[in-house]
Amino acid sequence: MRVTSPYAPEIQRLLTAARTVDRLESLQIYHAPEEHTSFEQFLSGNRADPAPTSVAWADFVRDSSATFRRLHAVTEPLRDFARYRLMCAYPLAAEASEEIAILPITSGAWPFRQRDFWLIDDTTLVALEYSGSGAFEHADVLTAEALVGDARAVFARVWGMAQPLQHYLHREGIASPTPTH
């Protein structure tokens, strides 16, 4: 099944009913209009207010009984948007109990095919497609065991290679602000 919004009711139902949710992010920029104001505040050097979607996600994670893990593969040196996510969005989600790990990538040495996805309960793959500018295009909700198994294997392998968010922030000398919302 194909959906054309990351907030589609079909995806929301899957996330709400989930016991485990794994998210793999591989883009260096996501064009999310909901984050524009917060990102512009960050770029101007001002304290960035959390984007409404970041607050809503943190509230969702906090209120859920599911286990959430997110891995973001970031190219180094970090781009502004990756730095923004690391400092403004991820700490809020981590405070809400999402386990976040960062996989630094240098010299284009990707250990997996760059494709973002959600893996829900190890049974459902939501394959996310974005434009070259990071704008969401569509998602395919898939349950074929071969596809789900491949995603499960990729996530397990790269999760084992990644660094917990706080370790990565410390290593990079990035100050993680106290999340507020």
Side-chain angles (χ1 to χ4, degrees), residues 5-70:
S5 168
Y7 311 109
E10 297 86 352
I11 293 175
Q12 297 306 309
R13 277 193 295 274
L14 287 168
L15 292 171
T16 299
R19 292 180 318 280
T20 62
V21 178
D22 292 334
R23 169 79 161 104
L24 179 64
E25 295 178 327
S26 65
L27 299 182
Q28 304 312 295
I29 188 164
Y30 291 89
H31 177 71
E34 307 85 7
E35 291 181 326
H36 181 76
T37 300
S38 180
F39 184 49
E40 289 300 317
Q41 289 172 336
F42 174 80
L43 289 176
S44 70
N46 296 320
R47 181 168 174 84
D49 294 325
T53 50
S54 295
V55 173
W57 177 254
D59 290 343
F60 178 78
V61 169
R62 187 178 294 104
D63 294 341
S64 176
S65 61
T67 299
F68 292 87
R69 297 187 305 171
R70 178 192 318 235

Side-chain angles (χ1 to χ4, degrees), residues 24-26 73 103 105 110-115 154 157-158:
L24 179 64
E25 295 178 327
S26 65
L103 179 63
I105 305 290
W110 287 86
F112 62 95
R113 186 173 146 229
Q114 286 181 262
R115 183 168 204 178
V154 165
R157 183 167 47 94
V158 295

Side-chain angles (χ1 to χ4, degrees), residues 69-91:
R69 297 187 305 171
R70 178 192 318 235
L71 185 141
H72 194 161
V74 296
T75 57
E76 295 180 323
L78 294 172
R79 292 172 130 185
D80 287 338
F81 189 80
R83 191 173 297 281
Y84 161 73
R85 279 275 178 98
L86 288 165
M87 294 176 70
C88 299
Y90 295 161

